[in-house]
Amino acid sequence: MSISNYKLQTNVRLHPVVLFQIISAYERRPKSAKMSVGTLLGRRDKGSDVIEITNSFTVQHKEQIVGDVEQFKLDTQYASEMFELNQVTYPQEKIIGWYGTGKSLSRSAAAMHTFYSRECGDFQPLHLLVDTTLRGGRMTTRLYCAVMMGVPGGTKGLLFTQLPLLTMDTEGDESIALRTMQKYALHPTKQVGRMLPELVHVVDAIRELAVKLDLVLRYVNDVLERKRRPDNSVGRALHDALTSVPMMDAESFRLMFNTNVRDMLLSITLSTMIKTQMELTEKLSCLPDH
């Protein structure tokens, strides 16, 4: 087993829902357990340098000390059954490693690596370590892979090497939820927050875009008037952003925007009708027979 499966350019995308699942598992762990462990699920292509960690589930385990030796037992049957159930709903997700909570790697990391090496098949398992002690007011998240080391014909062991480029990846629904949580975290209120309609989020996103465009225009004008020294990295970033947007006239953009808005309103109307129909069906089914 070598580190050849992973490159320094490997981009690991961690979805926020995984962190929330790990935090929830740690908060709900048994009183006798010092840590929480579980299986990481995601997508990984052989011909791509992108790995996505999209889901996880907790695996039951036991920690006990026999003499001076700390023993760690993982419920492998429970892990297999949970993965089979997850495959029914998300068949595209495969096992890509495991997670653990704590400030540093535990002594059970080698045993966990041995088990998940069989579960991951041709790929090395990843190990996600989440520090739930909040040292320094932050929740540190690190990613490791194991490298076999030792003398040929002699004693061999595992060296856990940290993988770089651990990034957060958010999709539409996740980004809306994160922005809502950030809003109420910065401006706490006694009332419980609620998710606003889709059009309200569109308006807020347009306002944020207008503020960012104003900053860009201010920077460009200052550079043209020689009030600020130009930065090549900023110029290249602006060039990439402008060239990534297809060129179209105002009328074509208006038609495309209005069409998308009508599609969104139609989807909202249909989902509301389906929800109402389900509620009526549920109430009718609860009526007593006469």
Side-chain angles (χ1 to χ4, degrees), residues 53-64:
I53 305 176
T54 58
N55 200 357
S56 67
F57 60 83
T58 307
V59 179
Q60 299 176 357
H61 70 283
K62 292 183 179 180
E63 306 170 32
Q64 56 184 0

Side-chain angles (χ1 to χ4, degrees), residues 40-242:
L40 293 176
L41 303 169
R43 297 183 290 268
R44 169 170 48 186
D45 297 328
K46 291 185 178 181
S48 175
D49 292 332
V50 178
I51 303 173
E52 291 190 42
I53 305 176
T54 58
N55 200 357
S56 67
F57 60 83
T58 307
V59 179
Q60 299 176 357
H61 70 283
K62 292 183 179 180
E63 306 170 32
Q64 56 184 0
I65 299 177
V66 180
D68 296 333
V69 181
E70 181 180 357
Q71 293 185 353
F72 183 92
K73 294 183 179 180
L74 187 70
D75 193 342
T76 57
Q77 182 178 357
Y78 176 82
S80 301
E81 292 176 354
M82 284 295 295
F83 176 66
E84 291 177 359
L85 291 175
N86 188 84
Q87 285 288 284
V88 177
T89 308
Y90 304 104
Q92 73 279 7
E93 293 182 345
K94 306 300 179 183
I95 297 178
I96 60 176
W98 85 98
Y99 73 81
T101 59
K103 296 182 292 185
S104 59
L105 292 171
S106 64
R107 296 181 179 179
S108 59
M112 297 283 288
H113 175 82
T114 302
F115 170 72
Y116 281 98
S117 295
R118 298 191 297 267
E119 298 294 320
C120 292
D122 297 334
F123 293 98
Q124 287 193 56
L126 297 174
H127 176 31
L128 181 66
L129 181 63
V130 180
D131 185 5
T132 51
T133 60
L134 298 180
R135 290 184 300 174
R138 299 189 61 183
M139 186 174 64
T140 307
T141 306
R142 288 170 289 178
L143 191 71
Y144 294 93
C145 69
V147 181
M148 187 69 69
M149 62 175 297
V151 180
T155 303
K156 295 184 179 180
L158 291 174
L159 175 64
F160 284 89
T161 305
Q162 187 170 352
L163 284 179
L165 303 178
L166 181 63
T167 60
M168 298 292 292
D169 183 47
T170 58
E171 297 179 349
D173 297 340
E174 293 176 339
S175 60
I176 293 174
L178 288 176
R179 282 199 296 266
T180 303
M181 295 174 62
Q182 183 181 16
K183 176 182 177 181
Y184 285 100
L186 297 176
H187 306 285
T189 59
K190 294 182 180 180
Q191 297 180 353
V192 179
R194 62 184 183 88
M195 300 300 293
L196 299 176
E198 286 82 354
L199 288 178
V200 177
H201 293 290
V202 172
V203 173
D204 291 341
I206 293 176
R207 289 175 179 172
E208 293 179 4
L209 181 60
V211 173
K212 293 178 181 179
L213 288 176
D214 183 62
L215 292 176
V216 172
L217 290 175
R218 196 180 310 168
Y219 170 80
V220 173
N221 291 331
D222 290 343
V223 171
L224 293 177
E225 296 175 1
R226 299 185 182 278
K227 295 181 180 180
R228 179 180 298 185
R229 180 177 298 178
D231 190 340
N232 293 333
S233 60
V234 176
R236 285 191 292 268
L238 291 176
H239 178 267
D240 295 339
L242 291 174

